[in-house]
Coordinates of all heavy atoms in Angstrom, one line a residue:
D259 N -9.3 8.8 21.2 CA -10.0 9.9 20.6 C -9.1 11.1 20.4 O -9.2 11.8 19.4 CB -11.2 10.3 21.5 CG -12.4 9.3 21.5 OD1 -12.4 8.5 20.5 OD2 -13.2 9.3 22.3
L260 N -8.2 11.3 21.3 CA -7.3 12.4 21.2 C -6.4 12.2 20.0 O -6.2 13.2 19.2 CB -6.4 12.6 22.5 CG -5.3 13.6 22.4 CD1 -5.9 15.0 22.2 CD2 -4.4 13.6 23.6
L261 N -5.9 11.0 19.8 CA -5.0 10.7 18.6 C -5.8 10.9 17.3 O -5.3 11.4 16.3 CB -4.4 9.4 18.8 CG -3.0 9.3 19.4 CD1 -2.0 10.0 18.6 CD2 -3.1 9.9 20.9
Y262 N -7.0 10.4 17.3 CA -7.8 10.6 16.1 C -8.1 12.1 15.9 O -8.2 12.5 14.7 CB -9.2 9.9 16.2 CG -9.0 8.4 16.0 CD1 -9.4 7.5 17.0 CD2 -8.5 7.8 14.9 CE1 -9.3 6.1 16.8 CE2 -8.3 6.5 14.7 CZ -8.7 5.6 15.7 OH -8.6 4.3 15.5
G263 N -8.2 12.9 16.9 CA -8.3 14.3 16.7 C -7.1 14.9 16.1 O -7.2 15.8 15.2
V264 N -5.9 14.4 16.5 CA -4.7 14.9 15.9 C -4.7 14.5 14.4 O -4.2 15.3 13.6 CB -3.5 14.2 16.6 CG1 -2.2 14.5 15.8 CG2 -3.4 14.7 18.0
T265 N -5.1 13.3 14.0 CA -5.1 13.0 12.6 C -6.0 13.9 11.8 O -5.8 14.2 10.6 CB -5.6 11.5 12.4 OG1 -6.9 11.4 12.8 CG2 -4.7 10.6 13.2
Q266 N -7.1 14.4 12.4 CA -8.0 15.3 11.7 C -7.4 16.6 11.5 O -7.5 17.2 10.4 CB -9.3 15.4 12.5 CG -10.2 14.2 12.5 CD -11.3 14.3 13.5 OE1 -11.6 15.4 14.0 NE2 -12.1 13.2 13.7
L267 N -6.6 17.1 12.5 CA -5.9 18.3 12.3 C -4.8 18.2 11.2 O -4.7 19.1 10.4 CB -5.2 18.7 13.6 CG -6.1 19.1 14.8 CD1 -5.3 19.3 16.0 CD2 -6.8 20.4 14.4
I268 N -4.1 17.1 11.2 CA -3.1 16.9 10.2 C -3.7 16.8 8.8 O -3.1 17.2 7.8 CB -2.2 15.7 10.5 CG1 -1.5 16.0 11.8 CG2 -1.2 15.4 9.4 CD1 -0.7 14.9 12.4
A269 N -4.9 16.2 8.7 CA -5.6 16.0 7.4 C -5.9 17.4 6.8 O -5.8 17.5 5.6 CB -6.9 15.3 7.6
V270 N -6.1 18.4 7.6 CA -6.3 19.8 7.1 C -5.0 20.3 6.4 O -5.1 20.9 5.3 CB -6.7 20.7 8.2 CG1 -6.8 22.2 7.7 CG2 -8.1 20.3 8.8
E271 N -3.9 20.0 7.0 CA -2.6 20.4 6.4 C -2.4 19.6 5.1 O -1.9 20.2 4.2 CB -1.5 20.1 7.4 CG -0.1 20.3 6.9 CD 0.2 21.8 6.6 OE1 -0.6 22.7 7.0 OE2 1.3 22.1 6.0
R272 N -2.7 18.4 5.1 CA -2.5 17.6 3.9 C -3.3 18.1 2.8 O -2.9 18.2 1.6 CB -2.9 16.1 4.2 CG -2.9 15.3 3.0 CD -3.2 13.8 3.3 NE -3.2 13.0 2.1 CZ -4.3 12.6 1.5 NH1 -5.5 13.0 2.1 NH2 -4.3 11.9 0.5
D273 N -4.6 18.5 3.0 CA -5.4 19.0 2.0 C -4.9 20.4 1.5 O -5.0 20.7 0.3 CB -6.9 19.2 2.5 CG -7.6 17.8 2.7 OD1 -7.1 16.9 2.0 OD2 -8.5 17.8 3.4
R274 N -4.3 21.2 2.4 CA -3.7 22.4 2.0 C -2.6 22.2 1.1 O -2.4 22.9 0.0 CB -3.3 23.2 3.3 CG -2.7 24.6 2.9 CD -2.1 25.2 4.1 NE -0.8 24.6 4.5 CZ 0.3 24.8 3.8 NH1 0.4 25.6 2.8 NH2 1.4 24.1 4.1
R275 N -1.7 21.3 1.4 CA -0.6 21.0 0.5 C -1.0 20.4 -0.8 O -0.4 20.8 -1.9 CB 0.4 20.0 1.2 CG 1.1 20.6 2.4 CD 2.2 19.7 2.9 NE 2.8 20.1 4.2 CZ 3.8 19.6 4.8 NH1 4.3 18.5 4.3 NH2 4.3 20.0 5.9
N276 N -2.1 19.6 -0.8 CA -2.5 19.1 -2.1 C -3.1 20.2 -2.9 O -2.9 20.2 -4.2 CB -3.6 18.0 -1.8 CG -4.1 17.4 -3.1 OD1 -3.3 16.8 -3.8 ND2 -5.4 17.5 -3.4
A277 N -3.8 21.2 -2.3 CA -4.3 22.3 -3.1 C -3.2 23.1 -3.7 O -3.4 23.7 -4.8 CB -5.2 23.1 -2.2
S278 N -2.1 23.2 -3.0 CA -1.0 24.0 -3.6 C -0.4 23.4 -4.9 O 0.4 24.1 -5.6 CB 0.2 24.1 -2.5 OG 0.8 22.9 -2.4
R279 N -0.7 22.1 -5.2 CA -0.2 21.5 -6.4 C -1.1 21.9 -7.6 O -0.8 21.5 -8.7 CB -0.2 20.0 -6.2 CG 0.8 19.5 -5.2 CD 0.6 18.0 -5.0 NE 1.7 17.4 -4.3 CZ 1.8 16.2 -3.8 NH1 0.8 15.4 -4.0 NH2 2.8 15.8 -3.1
T280 N -2.2 22.6 -7.4 CA -3.1 22.9 -8.5 C -2.5 23.6 -9.6 O -2.7 23.3 -10.8 CB -4.3 23.7 -7.9 OG1 -4.9 22.9 -6.9 CG2 -5.3 23.9 -9.0
V281 N -1.7 24.6 -9.3 CA -1.0 25.4 -10.4 C -0.1 24.6 -11.2 O -0.1 24.6 -12.4 CB -0.3 26.6 -9.8 CG1 0.5 27.4 -10.8 CG2 -1.3 27.6 -9.1
R282 N 0.7 23.7 -10.5 CA 1.7 22.9 -11.2 C 0.9 21.9 -12.1 O 1.3 21.6 -13.2 CB 2.6 22.2 -10.2 CG 3.6 23.1 -9.5 CD 4.6 22.3 -8.7 NE 4.0 21.6 -7.6 CZ 3.7 22.1 -6.4 NH1 4.0 23.4 -6.2 NH2 3.2 21.4 -5.5
R283 N -0.2 21.3 -11.6 CA -0.9 20.4 -12.4 C -1.5 21.0 -13.6 O -1.5 20.4 -14.7 CB -2.0 19.8 -11.5 CG -1.6 18.8 -10.5 CD -2.7 18.3 -9.6 NE -2.3 17.2 -8.7 CZ -3.2 16.6 -7.9 NH1 -4.4 17.0 -7.8 NH2 -2.7 15.6 -7.1
R284 N -2.0 22.2 -13.5 CA -2.6 22.9 -14.6 C -1.6 23.2 -15.7 O -1.8 23.0 -16.9 CB -3.3 24.2 -14.2 CG -4.0 24.9 -15.3 CD -4.9 26.1 -14.8 NE -4.0 27.2 -14.3 CZ -3.9 27.6 -13.1 NH1 -4.7 27.0 -12.1 NH2 -3.1 28.6 -12.7
L285 N -0.4 23.7 -15.2 CA 0.7 23.9 -16.2 C 1.1 22.7 -16.9 O 1.3 22.7 -18.1 CB 1.9 24.5 -15.5 CG 1.8 26.0 -15.0 CD1 2.9 26.3 -14.1 CD2 1.7 26.9 -16.1
A286 N 1.2 21.6 -16.2 CA 1.6 20.3 -16.8 C 0.5 19.9 -17.8 O 0.8 19.3 -18.9 CB 1.8 19.2 -15.8
Q287 N -0.8 20.0 -17.4 CA -1.9 19.6 -18.3 C -1.8 20.4 -19.6 O -2.0 19.9 -20.7 CB -3.2 19.9 -17.6 CG -4.3 19.0 -18.2 CD -4.2 17.5 -17.7 OE1 -3.8 17.2 -16.6 NE2 -4.5 16.6 -18.6
E288 N -1.5 21.7 -19.5 CA -1.4 22.6 -20.7 C -0.3 22.1 -21.6 O -0.5 22.0 -22.9 CB -1.3 24.0 -20.3 CG -2.5 24.6 -19.6 CD -2.3 26.0 -19.1 OE1 -1.1 26.5 -19.2 OE2 -3.2 26.6 -18.6
V289 N 0.9 21.9 -21.0 CA 2.0 21.5 -21.8 C 1.7 20.1 -22.5 O 2.0 19.9 -23.7 CB 3.3 21.4 -21.0 CG1 4.5 20.8 -21.8 CG2 3.7 22.8 -20.5
L290 N 1.2 19.2 -21.7 CA 0.9 17.8 -22.2 C -0.1 17.9 -23.4 O 0.1 17.2 -24.4 CB 0.3 17.0 -21.1 CG -0.1 15.5 -21.5 CD1 1.2 14.8 -22.1 CD2 -0.7 14.8 -20.4
E291 N -1.1 18.7 -23.3 CA -2.1 18.8 -24.4 C -1.4 19.4 -25.7 O -1.7 19.0 -26.8 CB -3.2 19.7 -24.0 CG -4.1 19.0 -23.0 CD -5.2 20.0 -22.4 OE1 -5.3 21.1 -22.9 OE2 -6.0 19.5 -21.5
L292 N -0.5 20.4 -25.5 CA 0.2 20.9 -26.6 C 1.1 19.9 -27.3 O 1.2 19.8 -28.5 CB 1.1 22.1 -26.2 CG 0.3 23.4 -25.8 CD1 1.3 24.4 -25.2 CD2 -0.4 24.0 -26.9
V293 N 1.8 19.1 -26.5 CA 2.7 18.1 -27.0 C 1.9 17.0 -27.7 O 2.3 16.6 -28.9 CB 3.5 17.4 -25.9 CG1 4.3 16.2 -26.4 CG2 4.5 18.4 -25.3

Side-chain angles (χ1 to χ4, degrees):
D259 286 344
L260 174 63
L261 268 295
Y262 283 121
V264 171
T265 66
Q266 292 171 6
L267 291 172
I268 296 173
V270 174
E271 172 70 8
R272 174 177 176 257
D273 290 338
R274 183 191 70 79
R275 293 190 186 182
N276 186 58
S278 71
R279 293 174 169 171
T280 303
V281 173
R282 291 189 295 276
R283 287 179 173 178
R284 186 173 66 248
L285 289 171
Q287 204 74 39
E288 292 173 357
V289 173
L290 179 61
E291 289 173 4
L292 291 174
V293 171

